[in-house]
Amino acid sequence: MRLIITAAIAILTLSSFAQKSPVVHKLFLYSGDSIEGTRLVYSTPILKAPVFQMDGENFQTDIVQYLQNNNGYFANLNKIYTDKTERYALRIKKGKMNLFEEIDMAFYGADELEIDKTVDESKQEMLATGTIFQYYNIGNGEVKKATLRNLRNDIGSVDAARKELNYHRNMKVLQFSLIAVGAGLITYGIIEQSGDDVRFSIPMAVGIVVGGSSYFLEKKKEDALWFAAEAYNKN
């Protein structure tokens, strides 16, 4: 429920802003060309490949790198996955380093956001929350997955950013270690009862607690990526 309310507020805010400040619709192609217009929509004809329609003219989606319409600025993820992939990400933070969150273009590709579809719980995860940092680009460069390796290569030269990336790595290692220890304790609890009916034991209970505690490190781990991006943008 909280996710639905948050998404609805974000949608209404963006829609209100779009009404007050008309946006120039744009297609940025991999070729380096850009196309401007007044109406850009994402069209999915039956039994045909999806296309972007700029003022009625069709453009194949695989030639589009970035696009801008009433609902935001988006990156095409087809080079990360495959050229035939219809996956897109919404820019949720603008700066020297832009941050993106994956969305369903079916919601964002119309003239206005498809608010009524938010009631479909199976699709809620494809609405932007503004809190999930999955992809990024530097300036107008290519969009990349926000992996530790990519981020180290691109922003690790900034001391404050590198510090946060190292913290993210340490939290990741600690998570893995807790899960491994927890699994080991559970396995030990089962093995020590070999030959008898397996019952819930103290080692198994401790293993569940230790392994489960790794969950509480997830937010710290993800926050470190945000802090790294902020450090880079402030540099």
Side-chain angles (χ1 to χ4, degrees), residues 197-208:
D197 292 337
V198 177
R199 297 181 180 181
F200 192 68
S201 64
I202 292 178
M204 294 169 69
V206 173
I208 291 174

Side-chain angles (χ1 to χ4, degrees), residues 137-166:
N137 73 346
I138 306 296
N140 295 318
E142 65 177 305
V143 67
K144 300 179 181 180
K145 292 185 75 171
T147 64
L148 186 58
R149 176 179 293 181
N150 284 341
L151 290 167
R152 276 180 168 173
N153 288 338
D154 289 332
I155 68 174
S157 59
V158 176
D159 290 342
R162 184 172 61 252
K163 179 180 178 181
E164 295 297 343
L165 293 176
N166 288 339

Side-chain angles (χ1 to χ4, degrees), residues 2-212:
R2 184 172 62 181
L3 177 58
I4 296 175
I5 294 173
T6 301
I9 292 173
I11 288 169
L12 291 173
T13 301
L14 287 171
S15 297
S16 174
F17 179 79
Q19 291 174 2
K20 293 179 181 179
S21 304
V23 175
V24 175
H25 292 200
K26 295 182 180 180
L27 288 173
F28 300 90
L29 310 185
Y30 283 109
S31 65
D33 296 328
S34 62
I35 301 163
E36 294 188 3
T38 59
R39 184 173 185 262
L40 173 62
V41 295
Y42 179 68
S43 177
T44 54
I46 297 175
L47 301 179
K48 292 184 179 181
V51 295
F52 288 111
Q53 292 183 336
M54 177 70 82
D55 296 335
E57 183 178 356
N58 290 346
F59 295 87
Q60 297 301 314
T61 60
D62 61 355
I63 68 171
V64 176
Q65 184 176 19
Y66 296 103
L67 60 134
Q68 179 175 286
N69 66 8
N70 284 339
N71 305 317
Y73 184 91
F74 305 87
N76 192 342
L77 304 178
N78 64 336
K79 298 302 182 184
I80 293 178
Y81 300 102
T82 67
D83 281 339
K84 295 183 178 180
T85 295
E86 291 296 319
R87 295 177 67 172
Y88 300 88
L90 170 68
R91 185 174 64 191
I92 56 176
K93 188 174 182 61
K94 183 178 180 181
K96 290 191 301 182
M97 176 182 182
N98 301 295
L99 311 185
F100 294 82
E101 178 180 352
E102 188 165 355
I103 50 83
D104 187 340
M105 188 54 75
F107 288 98
Y108 293 84
D111 289 318
E112 301 296 340
L113 286 166
E114 296 290 337
I115 299 176
D116 60 314
K117 293 186 179 180
T118 60
V119 296
D120 184 352
E121 293 186 2
S122 66
K123 292 289 187 178
Q124 286 178 18
E125 68 275 11
M126 299 312 292
L127 289 169
T129 64
T131 62
I132 303 175
F133 163 26
Q134 298 167 300
Y135 308 92
Y136 72 95
N137 73 346
I138 306 296
N140 295 318
E142 65 177 305
V143 67
K144 300 179 181 180
K145 292 185 75 171
T147 64
L148 186 58
R149 176 179 293 181
N150 284 341
L151 290 167
R152 276 180 168 173
N153 288 338
D154 289 332
I155 68 174
S157 59
V158 176
D159 290 342
R162 184 172 61 252
K163 179 180 178 181
E164 295 297 343
L165 293 176
N166 288 339
Y167 183 78
H168 171 88
R169 178 203 60 198
N170 293 340
M171 288 298 100
K172 193 172 184 178
V173 170
L174 181 56
Q175 273 188 314
F176 178 82
S177 300
L178 289 172
I179 292 171
V181 170
L185 287 169
I186 293 172
T187 301
Y188 172 77
I190 294 173
I191 293 175
E192 73 170 353
Q193 299 182 63
S194 59
D196 300 321
D197 292 337
V198 177
R199 297 181 180 181
F200 192 68
S201 64
I202 292 178
M204 294 169 69
V206 173
I208 291 174
V209 172
V210 171

